[in-house]
């Protein structure tokens, strides 16, 4: 029989994920909120097309930020270099 993890182990795991991948968690949360808003709203909302574009951009941002964090972790980059990479990805997505 499979044992479920305790609440203590789950909260520890969530804290570790947030500590290790903060930008990925932020992008995933934004994407979830926007998708929920799009599901609940009608397509006649004036900013509907803008929300669709934001969601599609966040779909691209999620794997980019994840790969940035993994590369920075493997090469032991400093926080400033990781921030510079995040700004570069943000600028790329803004275009």
């Amino acid at each position: 029989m499979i044992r479920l993890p305790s609440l203590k182990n789950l909260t520890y795991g969530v804290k570790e994920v947030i500590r290790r991948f903060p930008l990925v968690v932020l992008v995933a949360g934004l994407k979830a909120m926007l998708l929920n808003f799009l599901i609940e709203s009608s397509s006649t909302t004036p900013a509907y097309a803008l929300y669709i574009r934001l969601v599609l951009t966040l779909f691209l941002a999620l794997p980019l930020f994840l790969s940035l964090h993994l590369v920075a972790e493997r090469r032991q980059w400093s926080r400033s270099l990781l921030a510079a990479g995040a700004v570069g990805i943000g600028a790329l997505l803004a275009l």
Side-chain angles (χ1 to χ4, degrees):
M1 186 151 163
I2 298 175
R3 290 187 51 171
L4 295 176
S6 68
L7 191 58
K8 182 180 176 182
N9 287 343
L10 287 175
T11 55
Y12 176 75
V14 168
K15 286 179 186 177
E16 283 299 306
V17 167
I18 291 172
R19 184 194 60 78
R20 190 173 171 198
F21 305 111
L23 291 174
V24 177
V25 172
L26 177 70
V27 168
L30 287 173
K31 185 170 71 168
M33 288 188 319
L34 274 173
L35 283 172
N36 187 26
F37 178 76
L38 284 173
I39 289 169
E40 296 294 326
S41 68
S42 66
S43 60
T44 59
T45 307
Y48 191 78
L50 174 66
Y51 295 139
I52 292 287
R53 289 181 181 182
L54 283 174
V55 166
L56 292 175
T57 303
L58 290 174
F59 269 104
L60 288 173
L62 192 65
L64 289 174
F65 281 128
L66 178 61
S67 60
L68 174 70
H69 275 286
L70 291 174
V71 167
E73 188 176 271
R74 171 162 286 205
R75 296 184 181 178
Q76 298 176 348
W77 288 354
S78 65
R79 287 243 184 229
S80 59
L81 195 55
L82 178 64
V87 168
I89 289 175
L92 179 68
L93 292 172
L95 296 177

